[in-house]
Structures are given as structure tokens and as C-alpha cells.
Amino acid sequence: MKRFWKITKTEFISIFRDGGAMLILFGAMLIYGTLYPLIYAPQVVREFPVAVVDLDNTPPSRKLVRMLDATPQADVRYSAQSLDEAKALFLDRKIYGVLYIPEGYEKRILAGEQNHVSLYADGGYFLLYSDFLGAVGAVVGTAGAEVQVGTLMAGGLNQQQAKWTAMPVAYGVDMLYNPYGGYATAILPPVLILIAQQLLLVGIGMVGGTWYEKGTWRKFRDYSATRLTFAKATAYLFLYIPLMLYIFSFQYKFFGYPMKGNHWDLLLVFVPYLLSVIFLGLTLGALFRKRETSMMMLIVTSVFFLIVSGISWPKEGMPEWIYALGRIVPSSSGIDALVRIRTMGGSLSDVVPEAVTLWALTGVYGLTAVLATLRRTRELQAAAEKAREERRREMEEQ
């Protein structure tokens, strides 16, 4: 046991004396955990500039423009005389959407004919596009309902009957697990879990490379590979559990994200998640001979891990083999389990498949970490034996 804690202590010292490792493992996690939520703190896009091309210029068309301007999403800043003028405003980045009301808008309403308007939105910004589309859809729907109610009342129905006929089934929309309907609540929790994985992998790999450069591995070449692996893993587990609980407790509360689920359930999922990531990092770290190799090799994996995690695209839209391939990455199952517990209020029984997968990955990567460590210690033992043999020959020759 004394040897075990000696290794753990050495790992702690290696981390805290290495400015680069400290920046990756702690500084970057705290920066990302604070900066990202601050950037997305508004949650939803509000009052983005749009232009209106009103070729009809009648009371109904002007009312439609006022209704659009009254929505929280759009701010009608320009009234263009033509689509070409609106296009110039768009290309100058003064607006991000255009509502086009054709000539004859009022006449078609009075004639009881089908009417239409057109909208042009910046598809390069998905949030702006979807919000503008939703705002125009709501305004046009409301205007259409008013016209229908007026027509029905002219036909002899009273106001209440006309409203019931125009909307025979009333409905309400409840945003589950995302009360603001915001981007931050939807995307940041899983992204922070993925970031934690990447920073751990890079940081552990960096410390592993430092061990080789400074000869620390040679001090423990006669130690058991299993003891080495688990002692090093203990250091990172002790360091990262409090950090992750801080991110998913204090930070969640500070930025107003839904905080549901039991803290103990959250901790019981964090343990296999962090262990599987740590063992994967130790597997790679035992192979690196230079500290820079970790950064160069592991940063590029972020895109792949992001794709297979289901953050950028739901699993239902993925080919099954890609989704299955993603299960070998701890963050994929970790995101599913941790978000269900913390954001959706699930319990441990609701994430059994993900928990089983994480424990399986812990076992697999624990084994690979032991084998990689064994390879490194045997390599150093062979090198030491070779050096002793050379010195013996030199002494014999003398």
C-alpha cells in the first residue's frame, strides 16, 4: 500500500509542478465551464434586425408589419422599396431576414381569396433562420385567423362561435427539460461532458510524456503494472470528481440550467465515466515519449467524438454502425446518462444500459492501460539490463 500511495503522490507532484498540465486539466475546464455559458447566457436570439418589402402598403399589410415588429424575435428596422434594396441590406449584414408582402394583399383578403407572403432568411445562422421562420409563421397564422373569424362573423356567427370554428381544437406547447427553449440549456451540458473527456485525455497524455522525458518512469520500472495504473488513476479521479460536481452543481445553478435528479445518482455515473476516460488516457499516455505528442494526436479526435456523441446529430438520424462505433467512446454513453439524470430528472435505473456500457469500458480500458504500462516498464527494464551488461563488459575489458 505504501508503494501505491508513493505512485499517487508522484503523479500529484507531476501534475501540480507542470504548468501546461495544470492549464489543460483545470484551467481550461474552468474557463470553458464559465466562458461558454456566459456566451450563450441569453439562451435565445431576440430582436435581430429584419427588413420588410411592403408593395401593397394598405392597412392589413401595415398591421402585419406591426405584428412582426411586436414579436420578441424580430426587429423591423428597414422598410425597403424592392427586393433588390433588401438584398443590398442583407449583403451589407445590416439585416438577417426579409418579409415580402406582394401587391394586392388587401384585395385578396377582401375577395376571400388565398393570400401569400414570402420570407427570406439567412440559412447560414440556423438559430436566426428558425426564429425568423417561427415569428413570421406565428404572425401570418394570427392574421389568417383574424380574417377567418371576421368572415365567419359576417356570415352570422357570434364572435365566440367564430373563434371556436376557426380553431376547433386549442393546443398548448410545453418545453420539456428546456423551459427557456434556449440553445445553452440544450447544448452546453453535453458539450461540457465532452470537453472534460478531451481535457483529461490530453492532460494525462501530457503527464505521461513528461514522465518519459524526465525519467520518472525509470523510478517505477520494477513496480507492478497494475499498481502503477490504478495508483495513477486514483490521482486523477480524486482531482476530477470535485471539479465535475462543481461544474454540474454550482455552475448549473448559477446559469439557471434545470437541476433535477439525485446527486448520488449523478456521482455513481461520474465514477465509471471518469474511470473509463482516465484509463483510456493512461493507455495512450504510456505510449507517448514526448509531452507535445498528446496535444498533437488527441485534439484532432474531438470532431469524431463530437459526431458520434449525438450532440450535433441525433442517433435516430445516424447509420446504426456509426452509432455503435460511438459506444466505444466514454463520452457517448456518459452524455446520455448524465444529461438524463441532471437535466431530465432521471434516476440510476433509467440509465442502466449506459452505466453498464461505462463500466464495461472501464474494464476494457483498464486492461489496456495495464498492458500499455507493462510494455513501458518492460521496455525500461530491458534498457536498464542492457546498460548494466554494457558496463559489465567495459569493466571486463579494463
Side-chain angles (χ1 to χ4, degrees), residues 186-319:
I187 202 69
L188 282 183
V191 165
L192 290 175
I193 296 170
L194 179 62
I195 289 174
Q197 172 182 272
Q198 294 305 99
L199 294 179
L200 259 176
L201 292 178
V202 172
I204 293 172
M206 183 179 292
V207 173
T210 303
W211 268 41
Y212 191 90
E213 289 182 357
K214 294 187 175 181
T216 308
W217 277 109
R218 289 197 295 271
K219 299 178 182 178
F220 302 105
R221 62 174 178 257
D222 296 323
Y223 282 48
S224 163
T226 303
R227 180 182 286 115
L228 270 169
T229 301
F230 281 87
K232 287 166 70 69
T234 300
Y236 293 102
L237 191 63
F238 281 165
L239 291 174
Y240 246 68
I241 281 184
L243 180 60
M244 294 299 288
L245 289 177
Y246 163 79
I247 294 291
F248 283 84
S249 295
F250 175 79
Q251 292 279 58
Y252 253 63
K253 187 174 183 179
F254 183 80
F255 289 105
Y257 300 151
M259 283 188 64
K260 303 179 181 180
N262 185 283
H263 288 285
W264 287 108
D265 290 341
L266 191 70
L267 180 61
L268 290 174
V269 175
F270 266 132
V271 170
Y273 171 66
L274 290 176
L275 279 176
S276 58
V277 175
I278 290 167
F279 283 136
L280 177 58
L282 291 175
T283 300
L284 300 172
L287 303 176
F288 296 150
R289 295 172 180 268
K290 295 182 178 180
R291 52 188 284 111
E292 297 84 3
T293 307
S294 172
M295 181 76 72
M296 295 170 61
M297 292 187 63
L298 296 177
I299 287 296
V300 297
T301 64
S302 301
V303 176
F304 170 73
F305 292 162
L306 174 66
I307 291 172
V308 299
S309 67
I311 299 174
S312 59
W313 194 252
K315 67 178 183 181
E316 289 78 10
M318 294 184 193

Side-chain angles (χ1 to χ4, degrees), residues 49-121:
V50 300
V52 172
V53 181
D54 184 3
L55 300 183
D56 196 54
N57 196 26
T58 56
S61 68
R62 289 194 293 271
K63 182 179 180 180
L64 190 68
V65 174
R66 290 195 302 272
M67 291 171 66
L68 177 63
D69 193 36
T71 62
Q73 294 91 349
D75 178 14
V76 180
R77 296 187 186 178
Y78 300 93
S79 180
Q81 302 303 311
S82 66
L83 276 177
D84 288 337
E85 183 181 342
K87 181 179 179 181
L89 292 170
F90 178 82
L91 294 176
D92 290 339
R93 311 311 290 165
K94 293 181 179 180
I95 60 172
Y96 294 94
V98 178
L99 175 65
Y100 177 80
I101 305 174
E103 191 175 355
Y105 178 80
E106 183 183 41
K107 289 181 179 179
R108 282 187 287 273
I109 291 177
L110 296 175
E113 298 176 358
Q114 186 179 31
N115 222 329
H116 70 275
V117 297
S118 301
L119 66 91
Y120 302 86

